[in-house]
Amino acid sequence: MKWITRERPKIDRLACPWLIKRFIDEKAEIIYVPFDQVINQSRKLEAIPFDIPDVEFTHYGTECSFDYFIKKYKIKDKAILAMAPIVRGADTDHHELSAVSSGLWAISAGLSQNIIDDQELLQQGMILYDALYTWARYLQKEKHTQQPFENLLLDVFNNYLKKRKGSEKKIPAWARQLKEIIQDHIDTNLSLKEISKGLEINPSYLSREFSKYFEDLSFGEYIRKQRIEKASELMSPPNSYSLTEIAYLTGFSDQSHFTRIFKKHTGKSPSTFKRDLLKSKIRTK
């Protein structure tokens, strides 16, 4: 069997090949190509595509491709079932699913950064997942610290961390990165689908989770809000941009589109808003 997916693997695209070779077909060939070539090359090479949108072996709901392989091939191995939430948590940035997920993500990201060749990266990934499988099967109850006083200190520290985490809303790395992308490219036509490629996150998942970390707004609503706020800044004295220039700098197609959206959000036309700002500044002098 031949399997094909996008290049530069990290979590799912290493975990799934490991699962294929260890539990489905030990002689399977794994092929990595650029994202936009996966479908065409899959037809040419007669390979099964996985971990990309709109194919059978991919993400479904909150589950990742690794979960689907387990279900598809009815794998009942207890260690594999124990690994599933670890892989899922690491692959979807939901590290709360397993205490091991953040560690798997850290090691996988480091491997991907250090190893350029995807096939060499896969060989190292096989070793990584062999080790994780052994831990899941035989060593889950083993502890590194064995002395009673060490365990007591760890319990106190872990309880402290749980209380601290409970009082904070954890913002995943992809949300922080996405916020920076939006701020840096507010003057361009941003596409959630294209952004998801750069973040290596399933676009459906990104669309579904977006509002949780962006003021309960959809992607489009948040972009418009940011553009309006940026436009308001550019109209504030001592800036001397024309409305046409401001429309261009904030990513609107033309001044007419800018005027219509701005008035809908603020209740004022841009020219009225700008005039009121100037009057307010004069009164405060």
Side-chain angles (χ1 to χ4, degrees):
M1 299 173 71
K2 292 181 181 179
W3 297 83
I4 190 168
T5 188
R6 50 202 168 97
E7 60 188 352
R8 308 307 303 137
K10 288 187 177 69
I11 304 295
D12 244 353
R13 286 166 287 143
L14 291 177
C16 293
W18 173 85
L19 189 65
I20 292 168
K21 284 179 169 288
R22 295 293 187 254
F23 287 85
I24 300 170
D25 177 14
E26 64 179 1
K27 296 182 179 180
E29 180 182 354
I30 310 300
I31 304 167
Y32 294 105
V33 297
F35 176 83
D36 58 0
Q37 297 180 23
V38 175
I39 297 301
N40 287 338
Q41 288 296 316
S42 70
R43 295 169 183 152
K44 181 179 179 180
L45 300 172
E46 296 184 346
I48 304 171
F50 69 96
D51 201 46
I52 63 169
D54 303 320
V55 299
E56 179 184 1
F57 293 87
T58 188
H59 289 226
Y60 290 92
T62 59
E63 297 186 339
C64 63
S65 302
F66 190 79
D67 292 299
Y68 184 76
F69 271 95
I70 293 172
K71 291 182 178 180
K72 176 70 174 182
Y73 289 96
K74 298 180 173 60
I75 298 173
K76 303 298 182 183
D77 185 288
K78 291 183 178 179
I80 295 296
L81 298 180
M83 289 172 61
I86 298 172
V87 174
R88 188 187 317 133
D91 194 59
T92 62
D93 263 339
H94 277 281
H95 295 173
E96 74 279 2
L97 294 178
S98 170
V100 186
S101 291
S102 57
L104 177 60
W105 160 247
I107 294 171
S108 301
L111 281 175
S112 182
Q113 182 72 18
N114 291 341
I115 302 173
I116 303 301
D117 183 83
D118 288 345
Q119 290 300 323
E120 182 184 351
L121 182 56
L122 174 59
Q123 294 307 310
Q124 297 301 317
M126 296 295 291
I127 296 172
L128 169 64
Y129 282 94
D130 280 342
L132 183 60
Y133 177 79
T134 298
W135 171 84
R137 186 167 184 178
Y138 302 110
L139 304 171
Q140 288 193 58
K141 295 182 180 180
E142 292 289 327
K143 293 184 178 180
H144 176 64
T145 52
Q146 300 299 324
Q147 297 298 322
F149 76 93
E150 291 180 319
N151 289 328
L152 179 61
L153 287 174
L154 281 176
D155 287 341
V156 171
F157 182 64
N158 287 331
N159 286 333
Y160 164 75
L161 288 180
K162 287 179 181 178
K163 291 180 180 179
R164 183 178 178 182
K165 287 181 179 179
S167 62
E168 300 174 353
K169 183 178 181 180
K170 184 177 179 181
I171 301 176
W174 66 260
R176 293 193 296 270
Q177 190 176 352
L178 179 53
K179 184 168 288 189
E180 292 177 3
I181 291 172
I182 292 173
Q183 291 173 345
D184 292 342
H185 299 83
I186 197 66
D187 60 335
T188 61
N189 289 323
L190 295 170
S191 163
L192 194 62
K193 186 175 182 179
E194 290 299 320
I195 291 174
S196 68
K197 294 179 186 178
L199 295 176
E200 295 191 337
I201 296 178
N202 183 280
S204 297
Y205 170 83
L206 188 58
S207 177
R208 184 177 64 253
E209 295 292 306
F210 184 90
S211 63
K212 294 181 181 179
Y213 307 102
F214 290 84
E215 305 175 25
D216 290 325
L217 299 174
S218 68
F219 178 73
E221 291 169 340
Y222 183 79
I223 291 291
R224 285 191 290 274
K225 181 175 182 292
Q226 293 301 304
R227 286 177 172 173
I228 294 301
E229 291 178 355
K230 181 65 176 179
S232 299
E233 292 177 11
L234 294 175
M235 282 188 278
S236 301
N239 292 322
S240 57
Y241 296 107
S242 69
L243 295 182
T244 300
E245 289 172 327
I246 292 173
Y248 172 77
L249 291 171
T250 50
F252 290 95
S253 56
D254 52 44
Q255 185 177 336
S256 176
H257 181 218
F258 166 54
T259 299
R260 184 171 64 257
I261 299 300
F262 190 90
K263 187 172 183 179
K264 181 178 178 180
H265 280 260
T266 66
K268 296 181 180 180
S269 67
S271 56
T272 301
F273 184 88
K274 189 175 182 180
R275 185 172 61 250
D276 290 347
L277 283 176
L278 184 59
K279 289 180 180 179
S280 177
K281 186 171 181 62
I282 292 173
R283 284 198 298 268
T284 58
K285 286 185 177 180

